[in-house]
Amino acid sequence: MLVNNAGIQNRIELAEDTADWNTRRQELVINVEAPIHLAMLLTPHLRQQARPAIINVTSGLSFAPAAFAPIYSATKAALHSFTLSLRHQLALIGIAVLEIVPPAVDTDLGGPGLHTFGVPVDDFADSVMARLAAGEQEVGYGTSEQARLASRAELDERFKQMNNR
Ligand SMILES: NC(=O)c1ccc[n+]([C@@H]2O[C@H](COP(=O)([O-])OP(=O)(O)OC[C@H]3O[C@@H](n4cnc5c(N)ncnc54)[C@H](OP(=O)(O)O)[C@@H]3O)[C@@H](O)[C@H]2O)c1
């Protein structure tokens, strides 16, 4: 099994940003390039296993972006898209492709203290693992469950509420 969980999140004011491109590129490399590269590298190995699976960790922000994390949100939208194509293709060779879609979870993502508003990790993990074990392929929790199932009008509303300043 391959679990693509590693990810970073940077808060960026696009018009004011002074970071060099190599710094900014890290978010693309870690969040999108690495999971795609790893999936392609490991597919030959996984296809020889008894019950192979790839799990990609995306985000509720894959569906409606948080403007304060513009590159991060774009990477998660890209990884969600890639996951759909990967699932479609690898079904032919018996590799399951699963997607975990977290909401804000109380971890150190983005730096210590920034996600204290998120749901507790244990509650989130217990729910996700139970649903994956039951055979679901794409699993959210709370607000990210709403986001992944939302209509375009609901996502536009969510974008407005999330990015209200
Ligand atoms: N927390 C949330 O609110 C939230 C919401 C939606 C999606 N997610 C996603 O959930 C996943 C896990 O994040 P988290 O919330 O658990 O954040 P976290 O506590 O900051 O953990 C991030 C993990 O990514 C690893 N990582 C970062 N850069 C890496 C690199 N260059 N090479 C290898 N590993 C690297 C870190 O490893 P080290 O500890 O060794 O640095 C750490 O284990 C991420 O994909 C994130 O985007 C989180």
Side-chain angles (χ1 to χ4, degrees):
M1 177 177 288
L2 164 66
V3 181
N4 282 313
N5 176 64
I8 61 169
Q9 183 186 89
N10 292 317
R11 298 181 176 214
I12 303 168
E13 288 293 334
L14 293 166
E16 313 298 333
D17 194 43
T18 55
D20 63 85
W21 179 241
N22 269 339
T23 302
R24 287 294 166 238
R25 221 179 121 246
Q26 286 308 300
E27 215 168 3
L28 299 172
V29 170
I30 294 167
N31 295 3
V32 186
E33 184 178 325
I36 294 174
H37 190 191
L38 286 167
M40 294 178 71
L41 277 177
L42 290 173
T43 291
H45 170 73
L46 287 170
R47 72 189 303 175
Q48 292 170 359
Q49 308 308 310
R51 290 181 63 205
I54 296 174
I55 300 183
N56 288 338
V57 180
T58 62
S59 171
L61 302 183
S62 302
F63 302 90
F68 67 77
I71 298 179
Y72 175 87
S73 299
T75 65
K76 292 300 183 176
L79 187 57
H80 168 69
S81 169
F82 180 73
T83 302
L84 297 178
S85 300
L86 188 69
R87 178 180 299 132
H88 183 76
Q89 290 202 14
L90 299 197
L92 297 173
I93 56 169
I95 301 178
V97 177
L98 311 174
E99 181 176 349
I100 298 175
V101 186
V105 182
D106 187 2
T107 68
D108 282 345
L109 186 72
L114 285 176
H115 274 89
T116 50
F117 54 87
V119 300
V121 177
D122 286 352
D123 297 353
F124 166 70
D126 287 350
S127 170
V128 165
M129 294 315 291
R131 288 176 60 188
L132 290 180
E136 289 189 58
Q137 293 184 317
E138 183 184 297
V139 178
Y141 184 83
T143 54
S144 69
E145 183 70 2
Q146 291 162 7
R148 78 176 187 89
L149 299 172
S151 67
R152 176 59 195 265
E154 289 167 331
L155 289 175
D156 286 347
E157 188 53 35
R158 186 179 163 84
F159 180 86
K160 264 194 234 160
Q161 285 178 6
M162 215 172 14
N163 295 298
N164 192 14
R165 64 173 173 183

